[in-house]
Amino acid sequence: MKAFFEVLEQLYRKVLLGATLENDSHDYIFYLNPAFSDQDCSTTTSSDCSNILDVQGKHQPSSVNLATPSVAPVCLQRHFQMNSTREIMLLQLTVIKVMMTRILSVETELHAKEKYRDIIKILLKSSDVDSKLTCMFQNSDKLLSHMAAKCLALLLYFQLKEKITLSNSWISFCQKNLSEYSESDKVVHCLWMLTFVIKEIFKDTCSQKTEILKQFLTPFDTIFEVFYNSLFSQHFENHQDTSKLINSLICFLELLELLIASRIHLKLHFTCQRMLFLKPSCVFDVITWPIQAFVKRKFIIFIKKCLLCKVGEDLCRGSVPTFMAPDHPLDVDLLALADAVLQAVDLGFLRTLSVYGKPSCFGGDEVQPGCECVPGPDHVILRAASLLIIRSLEIKFQNGASASEMKVDLQRFMSELLTFLKPHLQPSLRSHNLCEWLSRVFIEQDDDMLEAAKTAMGIYLKLTRECEATESLTQEKEMWNHHTHENGYNPHCIFLFFLKNIGFDSTVLLDFLISSETCFLEYFVRYLKLLQKDWDNFFTICKYFDITESKDNVNICCCISSLVQDRSSNQTEPSPLAVLGNHRDAHAWVSRASEASSEPLNHAVMSEEAQATLQANSLSPQRTSQSLVDYETSDDSEEESTDQRLANSRLTSLHQEAMKKIQDTIGTSRDKKELSLESQSRSLVPKESNTPFSVDCDIGPNNIASKVGISYRTVKCFEELQGAIYRLQKKNLFPYNPTALLKLLKHIETIYNRSMTPL
């Protein structure tokens, strides 16, 4: 018995190191074959197999020299035998597992790998090992059961790769236990092994993984659908032991995610891959069960990943392509899922979500005595619910809908979403900047935030195209602009809030561009293209951001709303965000809103530009742009600092020229009308302003950033980003060709300079 264990231990050490085995392959089968009886395997324990060593000792191969075990009292021999039986079975399973790992590893020496492969093939043919392992993972010993299940899963994957027919006994076992839901542990074992094998197929680098997975899923295509219906038709409150149902739900959810991922990434088409899309209401019903919050969270995140086509990305080796080939059947299924989400929201889905609860931390959700638990919402739920709704709207709009239908749906569902979010956002979301909701909800999760921003822009672009085709009147366009702010999806506002959150730091943008973990590159390019076409609207919005920054109680969106209403009531004042002509018209609106004289306002407008120029030129930059690369010589450093000084002066040179012309035009005196205009404008401009119509006002003596307009800070950030990309590209350190991106950034800078050039 002891000698048998020692031989196994030596074999384990050799395989662990990847060493080549010298003896004949059949000799090792004797030590690796578990002597486990198929009889009464559901109740067998390790102590019932105490005769294993006796049988194996009598038939040991002649080529292996084993020592005779020492004599001991009968009771001690029996106790030692029972414990040794379990230890030997565990060691046998461990050796098989390590040997399988070595076969699948690219680091194993070829000759040793071929020897291991030969041993496993003989083991599968001669000993019916898969049937024995199927019995062993039903063992009451949890460790033995786990090791048996893991070995069997690896052996199944090995058979698939080597094109060996799968064991009928194992397939029948799974089909029988998944034919309907039961509280037996066998269900969880089957689901776990199926999931494990599919994961291994996903992680494989071979080119035949699609064919391998097809071979594996074929026997289970129908049975998965049967189990789906059976599991989700359960009544949670009728189960006395809900833990088994929860385990089954979690295991099946992981399997379901892999099935959908295989459809997206491996282009397989089985009925079992469409179960969620054909019957999505089953999954939404689980969220309404009186079940633990973490289960609901898993299901919501799962649906979110399906809508974003992000399922299985963590299993795909290498980068996942950003743009996938069109897949019309998948688009149809995504539309069905999106419709189900919106229907659930209509039926009060958001009101059933458990937003408050114990905090989920790495250390668990129990708060230690003496520690305070700060109550707060579950931001994972808030983010997932938000993405569910806006992504579902985007999918629905992409599949054909009129502009009027889209506006009605957007207003209804965004109103529902904002109503759901407002109580959970602290400080509360103010009515004048509803577009801020996105940056507030997603501030802690970069990838979701950028997905949400990209989705909101997709909705905006789709609606813009429809509205441009149907709406030609100025009043209709003004109402359309108001609609984008009222429902919190204006892309300019969303992008400006994003820049404010990162402090207009170009290095953060550079990190996002280099990283492949988010969709920032796709989002940023789409936004820059929009910005080129919609600069006047962007500049107008920037000015009202400046007003809001200078005084928090200035209500942008309320001003927009009231002015649109005034316009509809035959008032003459236009909506500020509807002024889409030259940016000077936006400045002129400020004076009109203050009911100033009808005299031309060029002097006042120029004064505002002069104030922004003076402030920009009289202050040093808030921070110095830092290079992300090491310099090869000190000359490189000097070259960069020279380039940076030139860059810093480029945006302000035009301001200085304009300043000189403005001073020559205005002179040193002001007439009474200018003074009257100044006093009347104070209702919109903060009192701290020392110059009429200056929206770039000081908030505090040390707040340098507030003294420069947000449009200037945005373009300045773009220019710094452009320089950083260029330096990295010059040293061949940028991960892709940024030429097109640099052209876009340069064009934005040109547009800004042109707009700031005085007449």
Side-chain angles (χ1 to χ4, degrees):
M1 186 184 304
K2 184 177 179 181
F4 190 92
F5 188 88
E6 289 176 351
V7 172
L8 266 178
E9 200 170 30
Q10 291 173 8
L11 179 60
Y12 167 73
R13 290 196 184 100
K14 285 188 175 182
V15 176
L16 188 63
L17 295 173
T20 304
L21 302 179
E22 298 82 6
N23 291 352
D24 184 73
S25 298
H26 290 82
D27 292 341
Y28 297 104
I29 301 302
F30 167 76
Y31 294 99
L32 294 178
N33 181 21
F36 197 89
S37 173
D38 290 349
Q39 297 178 356
D40 197 23
C41 62
S42 60
T43 58
T44 303
T45 63
S46 57
S47 60
D48 296 321
C49 304
S50 58
N51 62 338
I52 291 176
L53 298 180
D54 294 336
V55 175
Q56 290 176 327
K58 293 175 182 178
H59 299 89
Q60 62 184 3
S62 57
S63 60
V64 180
N65 184 20
L66 293 177
T68 305
S70 59
V71 179
V74 176
C75 60
L76 292 179
Q77 280 189 349
R78 179 65 176 172
H79 178 72
F80 177 74
Q81 189 179 25
M82 291 169 58
N83 289 335
S84 296
T85 298
R86 179 179 182 273
E87 295 300 323
I88 285 180
M89 293 177 71
L90 286 172
L91 187 54
Q92 285 176 318
L93 297 175
T94 302
V95 174
I96 294 174
K97 173 181 169 294
V98 174
M99 191 174 289
M100 287 298 310
T101 306
R102 275 293 176 185
I103 293 172
L104 300 174
S105 174
V106 295
E107 298 177 358
T108 308
E109 193 267 327
L110 183 60
H111 185 64
K113 184 182 293 190
E114 289 298 327
K115 185 71 172 181
Y116 300 156
R117 184 182 284 112
D118 187 49
I119 292 172
I120 294 298
K121 285 183 177 180
I122 296 173
L123 185 66
L124 287 169
K125 290 179 181 178
S126 62
S127 61
D128 199 22
V129 67
D130 43 9
S131 298
K132 295 177 181 178
L133 291 175
T134 301
C135 292
M136 287 176 69
F137 72 63
Q138 303 169 63
N139 198 290
S140 59
D141 187 320
K142 297 298 183 183
L143 181 57
L144 192 63
S145 173
H146 172 73
M147 287 298 298
K150 197 159 190 177
C151 283
L152 179 57
L154 284 169
L155 288 172
L156 290 169
Y157 178 57
F158 175 80
Q159 289 173 292
L160 290 168
K161 285 203 67 172
E162 298 293 328
K163 294 181 171 53
I164 301 173
T165 304
L166 294 179
S167 167
N168 289 328
S169 62
W170 180 79
I171 293 176
S172 300
F173 175 81
C174 287
Q175 289 176 337
K176 176 183 177 181
N177 286 284
L178 295 179
S179 59
E180 62 175 340
Y181 171 75
S182 67
E183 293 189 354
S184 170
D185 291 334
K186 297 176 184 178
V187 171
V188 176
H189 287 309
C190 291
L191 294 174
W192 184 88
M193 280 189 293
L194 289 164
T195 301
F196 182 90
V197 174
I198 297 176
K199 279 185 178 180
E200 290 300 315
I201 295 173
F202 257 102
K203 291 187 290 185
D204 200 344
T205 56
C206 71
S207 58
Q208 295 85 22
K209 60 170 64 179
T210 301
E211 290 75 16
I212 293 173
L213 185 58
K214 183 177 180 180
Q215 178 190 349
F216 182 66
L217 291 180
T218 300
F220 303 105
D221 188 25
T222 305
I223 206 67
F224 282 156
E225 188 176 4
V226 173
F227 185 75
Y228 180 91
N229 296 329
S230 176
L231 177 64
F232 290 116
S233 64
Q234 299 298 308
H235 297 282
F236 184 78
E237 57 277 4
N238 294 340
H239 288 261
Q240 293 182 348
D241 185 4
T242 58
S243 62
K244 291 186 177 180
L245 177 58
I246 291 174
N247 286 340
S248 297
L249 284 170
I250 297 301
C251 288
F252 188 67
L253 188 66
E254 190 174 6
L255 175 62
L256 193 59
E257 180 176 348
L258 290 172
L259 292 174
I260 297 172
S262 66
R263 179 184 182 185
I264 296 173
H265 300 293
L266 300 183
K267 304 302 180 184
L268 279 175
H269 298 282
F270 283 97
T271 304
C272 61
Q273 297 170 309
R274 303 186 61 209
M275 295 183 294
L276 171 68
F277 306 105
L278 295 174
K279 298 180 180 179
S281 59
C282 296
V283 176
F284 282 101
D285 288 343
V286 174
I287 301 175
T288 64
W289 288 359
I291 201 169
Q292 284 89 332
F294 81 92
V295 180
K296 296 185 178 184
R297 186 187 300 117
K298 278 184 172 291
F299 273 82
I300 294 173
I301 293 173
F302 165 67
I303 299 171
K304 178 199 76 173
K305 291 167 72 174
C306 290
L307 287 172
L308 295 174
C309 293
K310 298 291 184 181
V311 286
E313 277 194 345
D314 54 337
L315 295 173
C316 296
R317 296 291 177 92
S319 59
V320 178
T322 304
F323 302 100
M324 293 185 292
D327 187 344
H328 180 67
L330 180 61
D331 293 338
V332 172
D333 285 348
L334 288 175
L335 178 59
L337 183 58
D339 286 337
V341 171
L342 297 178
Q343 184 179 1
V345 173
D346 264 338
L347 296 175
F349 167 73
L350 294 178
R351 292 188 291 273
T352 66
L353 296 181
S354 303
V355 179
Y356 290 98
K358 293 181 178 180
S360 297
C361 307
F362 286 111
D365 58 3
E366 295 297 330
V367 180
Q368 297 298 321
C371 298
E372 292 185 4
C373 178
V374 181
D378 186 344
H379 285 275
V380 175
I381 294 289
L382 297 183
R383 289 193 294 266
S386 301
L387 264 174
L388 278 184
I389 293 176
I390 62 174
R391 176 59 180 157
S392 296
L393 286 171
E394 184 187 28
I395 292 173
K396 183 177 181 180
F397 295 166
Q398 287 173 345
N399 285 271
S402 65
S404 58
E405 290 174 342
M406 287 191 284
K407 284 183 178 180
V408 171
D409 285 343
L410 190 62
Q411 187 163 7
R412 182 167 87 253
F413 290 109
M414 288 304 298
S415 175
E416 186 85 16
L417 175 60
L418 292 173
T419 302
F420 167 70
L421 293 174
K422 282 179 182 178
H424 309 301
L425 297 179
Q426 297 299 328
S428 60
L429 195 64
R430 293 171 294 182
S431 59
H432 69 267
N433 52 5
L434 292 178
C435 296
E436 190 183 7
W437 74 269
L438 193 146
S439 61
R440 294 276 298 279
V441 171
F442 294 95
I443 188 65
E444 297 178 357
Q445 194 73 28
D446 293 339
D447 54 347
D448 280 353
M449 176 181 65
L450 294 170
E451 286 288 351
K454 187 183 75 171
T455 301
M457 185 162 61
I459 293 173
Y460 176 87
L461 293 174
K462 176 66 176 177
L463 272 169
T464 299
R465 287 191 292 268
E466 294 294 328
C467 291
E468 286 177 350
T470 58
E471 298 177 0
S472 57
L473 298 178
T474 304
Q475 184 176 356
E476 291 176 338
K477 291 183 178 179
E478 289 175 4
M479 293 296 295
W480 154 242
N481 286 323
H482 167 64
H483 190 271
T484 65
H485 295 277
E486 185 182 50
N487 295 288
Y489 66 97
N490 185 280
H492 299 303
C493 291
I494 290 172
F495 186 75
L496 289 174
F497 278 121
F498 167 68
L499 284 184
K500 287 178 66 177
N501 284 339
I502 65 172
F504 294 86
D505 190 346
S506 61
T507 60
V508 177
L509 298 184
L510 183 62
D511 288 341
F512 277 127
L513 286 173
I514 293 174
S515 172
S516 61
E517 296 178 358
T518 69
C519 63
F520 180 74
L521 175 61
E522 180 186 359
Y523 165 67
F524 192 47
V525 169
R526 291 179 70 185
Y527 179 72
L528 291 177
K529 290 180 179 179
L530 170 66
L531 187 56
Q532 290 181 129
K533 300 176 182 178
D534 202 23
W535 174 261
D536 293 323
N537 194 14
F538 167 78
F539 196 88
T540 304
I541 291 172
C542 285
K543 284 302 168 187
Y544 291 96
F545 264 77
D546 294 335
I547 295 174
T548 307
E549 282 189 350
S550 61
K551 192 170 184 180
D552 290 337
N553 61 356
V554 175
N555 189 323
I556 298 176
C557 287
C558 285
C559 289
I560 301 170
S561 178
S562 62
L563 286 169
V564 171
Q565 292 173 0
D566 291 343
R567 180 62 178 261
S568 63
S569 303
N570 297 323
Q571 302 266 339
T572 58
E573 293 83 353
S575 169
L577 292 174
V579 181
L580 300 178
N582 192 287
H583 75 277
R584 295 178 183 82
D585 296 333
H587 296 300
W589 174 84
V590 179
S591 59
R592 294 192 193 104
S594 61
E595 300 179 355
S597 170
S598 60
E599 186 179 12
L601 301 175
N602 291 335
H603 293 257
V605 173
M606 292 302 181
S607 298
E608 179 185 4
E609 293 180 352
Q611 172 71 4
T613 305
L614 279 173
Q615 292 166 342
N617 293 334
S618 63
L619 297 169
S620 60
Q622 184 178 3
R623 54 176 171 74
T624 303
S625 177
Q626 297 180 354
S627 176
L628 297 183
V629 299
D630 295 329
Y631 297 109
E632 295 176 356
T633 67
S634 59
D635 295 336
D636 292 342
S637 177
E638 183 179 355
E639 177 185 353
E640 181 195 352
S641 61
T642 303
D643 294 342
Q644 188 61 41
R645 285 195 297 271
L646 291 173
N648 290 340
S649 63
R650 191 178 304 157
L651 286 177
T652 57
S653 60
L654 290 173
H655 289 281
Q656 293 171 353
E657 181 182 349
M659 180 64 187
K660 186 176 185 299
K661 292 183 179 181
I662 292 165
Q663 289 176 342
D664 293 341
T665 304
I666 296 176
T668 57
S669 62
R670 296 179 182 273
D671 56 18
K672 293 181 180 179
K673 290 182 180 180
E674 285 178 310
L675 294 174
S676 173
L677 184 62
E678 177 183 352
S679 61
Q680 292 180 9
S681 68
R682 287 173 183 167
S683 60
L684 287 178
V685 180
K687 294 181 180 180
E688 290 81 2
S689 174
N690 296 322
T691 304
F693 294 95
S694 173
V695 294
D696 304 323
C697 309
D698 296 355
I699 296 177
N702 297 323
N703 194 342
I704 299 175
S706 65
K707 298 187 178 184
V708 181
I710 198 168
S711 60
Y712 175 85
R713 292 153 68 189
T714 301
V715 177
K716 182 67 176 174
C717 179
F718 287 171
E719 187 178 11
E720 292 173 357
L721 176 64
Q722 186 179 349
I725 294 174
Y726 176 75
R727 289 192 298 275
L728 290 174
Q729 183 189 26
K730 187 169 63 174
K731 295 179 180 293
N732 294 322
L733 294 175
F734 206 73
Y736 50 87
N737 185 1
T739 304
L741 178 60
L742 289 171
K743 286 182 179 179
L744 286 171
L745 292 170
K746 185 66 177 177
H747 193 200
I748 297 300
E749 181 185 342
T750 303
I751 294 173
Y752 176 81
N753 291 336
R754 188 185 302 128
S755 67
M756 297 305 296
T757 303
L759 295 175

